[in-house]
Amino acid sequence: MTDSAIKWPRVNAAWLHAPALEKVFAALAKGGATTRVVGGAVRNTLIDRPVNEVDIATTAPPEETERLARAAGLGAHPTGIDHGTITVVADGQPYEVTTLRRDVETDGRHAVVAFTGDWNEDASRRDFTINALYCDPDGTLYDPVGGLDDLRKHHVRFIGDAKQRIREDFLRILRFFRFSAQYGDGHIDPTGLAAAEELKDGLILLSAERVRAEMLKLLAAPNAPEVLAVMYKAGILQLAIRTLIEPDRFARLAAIEAALGETPDPVTRLAALAVIHPGDETFLAEQLKLSNAEASRIAIAFATEPGIDPETSEAVGRAALYKLGPENFKRAVLLAWARSEAPPSSQNWRARALLPDRWTVPKLPVSGSDVIALGLAPGPAIGNVLQAFENWWMGNNFPSDAELQRSVLKDLAAKALA
């Protein structure tokens, strides 16, 4: 490895010259520290992908980082002091600043670290070569472990001994496949795959929250179908998601989303992959600690509204759309489409899936006050009349004629009063 700078390409992006980041660099420079941006921001800039956060590495010890930041009038919060991380806030923008470090002790979930001033040591403890790219404030690129060449080749490769990297943190098994799906070309590094397969039982040591976060990112990645198929064959996917699994159904859903131009939704993809029988959705929600919103989204896999099926009339489809709401309706149609094994080119399924795009769900045109005005006293009868009106309205394809609506509501109220 070498710490020599690569003169080309340089990192040139607006985020690198943001006034807030420049203030952080300036504050640390006053203490004589060498400071560089590391990881995702550098990697994504080099391949013209969005940068969501900027992580910083420095030779300054964490206490010195905190002191220098405060001396410059910046916020400083020891959010990960045991691992050398201080969150520095400039102009309201938080940056995680982490001291260079090396692992002293690991157990597959947590690490004890020692701080160092050696950039090579810091790089060698990271997971993948493409994540060990650094750049100076002026955009000079540093590549101690050959990450730039791997990035150009779409090659996701562990740094050094793959087995050792995995033993340091078993979550790296899932990260290996997730990064392969995000930044690879569908092929998996054979050395990394062999190491992941050999050490896969370490996945059972991980918390549900960590597994959930990695799996949802993986499911939405561009090459997820190809990568999940490899994980399934190796017996790794079954340890991360412990239900029956349908990789082929997942691949069909991904192809359908692509045909429709839909942005992949990881929770819908999770339902396609692993919600096979009633009860699976509850098991998955508990196993992966899904939020209530996520749990309700995978439960839609078993929606029974007849209008989901494109063989029914569009009027029946509209009734289903009204009951489920646009997002759940489209999700239910996509999942049913994937289960049906109909091709992504099916025009009938396409038309039903896109129904929310061409028909706006109307609001129920009457309310309880309208029923009370017709002579009913407040109470359960009000709800019964409204329910009867809604059933008539849906069953007749949502007529908008106000006079007809008043007439029907009046008749229903009269029956309730009789």
Side-chain angles (χ1 to χ4, degrees), residues 171-249:
L171 188 69
R172 286 176 171 172
I173 293 175
L174 299 183
R175 284 175 59 82
F176 171 64
F177 291 106
R178 192 252 290 185
F179 274 82
S180 295
Q182 286 183 318
Y183 297 98
D185 58 4
H187 295 91
I188 307 295
D189 175 70
T191 301
L193 175 59
E197 187 169 4
E198 180 177 333
L199 299 173
K200 62 188 177 186
D201 287 346
L203 291 173
I204 65 176
L205 301 174
L206 300 175
S207 70
E209 290 81 2
R210 297 184 81 200
V211 172
R212 169 194 170 277
E214 280 301 319
M215 285 305 304
L216 290 182
K217 292 176 183 176
L218 168 55
L219 293 174
N223 292 309
E226 297 88 344
V227 170
L228 288 175
V230 173
M231 293 176 68
Y232 183 72
K233 184 177 180 181
I236 294 169
L237 188 56
Q238 296 89 320
L239 289 173
I241 299 178
R242 299 168 199 171
T243 66
L244 290 177
I245 294 171
E246 291 280 0
D248 291 342
R249 181 187 298 177

Side-chain angles (χ1 to χ4, degrees), residues 41 44 50-54 93:
N44 282 17
V51 171
N52 298 316
E53 60 185 10
V54 177
Q93 176 66 46

Side-chain angles (χ1 to χ4, degrees), residues 367-379 381-383 385-386 409 413 417:
S367 66
S369 60
D370 295 316
V371 182
I372 292 173
L374 292 172
L376 267 73
I382 301 294
V385 170
L386 287 175
L409 186 65
L417 286 168

Side-chain angles (χ1 to χ4, degrees), residues 122-284:
D122 185 76
S124 67
R125 69 167 297 279
R126 295 178 181 272
D127 49 12
F128 313 118
T129 61
I130 63 172
N131 289 339
L133 295 164
Y134 305 76
C135 80
D136 274 343
D138 67 0
T140 300
L141 180 67
Y142 295 83
D143 178 18
V145 293
L148 181 60
D149 188 52
D150 285 337
L151 191 63
R152 287 167 168 162
K153 294 177 178 177
H154 307 286
H155 187 192
V156 177
R157 178 170 62 89
F158 282 103
I159 295 170
D161 184 342
K163 293 180 185 178
Q164 179 61 26
R165 295 287 80 75
I166 290 173
R167 290 190 184 101
E168 290 164 356
D169 185 353
F170 288 112
L171 188 69
R172 286 176 171 172
I173 293 175
L174 299 183
R175 284 175 59 82
F176 171 64
F177 291 106
R178 192 252 290 185
F179 274 82
S180 295
Q182 286 183 318
Y183 297 98
D185 58 4
H187 295 91
I188 307 295
D189 175 70
T191 301
L193 175 59
E197 187 169 4
E198 180 177 333
L199 299 173
K200 62 188 177 186
D201 287 346
L203 291 173
I204 65 176
L205 301 174
L206 300 175
S207 70
E209 290 81 2
R210 297 184 81 200
V211 172
R212 169 194 170 277
E214 280 301 319
M215 285 305 304
L216 290 182
K217 292 176 183 176
L218 168 55
L219 293 174
N223 292 309
E226 297 88 344
V227 170
L228 288 175
V230 173
M231 293 176 68
Y232 183 72
K233 184 177 180 181
I236 294 169
L237 188 56
Q238 296 89 320
L239 289 173
I241 299 178
R242 299 168 199 171
T243 66
L244 290 177
I245 294 171
E246 291 280 0
D248 291 342
R249 181 187 298 177
F250 179 92
R252 287 196 298 273
L253 175 63
I256 290 166
E257 289 171 335
L260 294 177
E262 293 285 323
T263 300
D265 172 50
V267 178
T268 304
R269 287 187 165 196
L270 176 62
L273 178 69
V275 178
I276 313 301
H277 303 295
D280 288 347
E281 73 282 10
T282 302
F283 177 82
L284 275 176

Side-chain angles (χ1 to χ4, degrees), residues 28 58 60-70 76 78 81-82 84-86 97 99 115:
L28 296 174
T58 183
E63 295 81 2
E64 179 71 355
T65 296
E66 186 173 4
R67 184 189 71 79
L68 290 168
R70 293 187 186 280
I81 190 70
D82 290 343
T85 300
I86 303 295
V97 182
T99 303
F115 304 127

Side-chain angles (χ1 to χ4, degrees), residues 71-92:
L74 306 179
H77 309 281
T79 49
I81 190 70
D82 290 343
H83 292 89
T85 300
I86 303 295
T87 298
V88 177
V89 182
D91 297 340

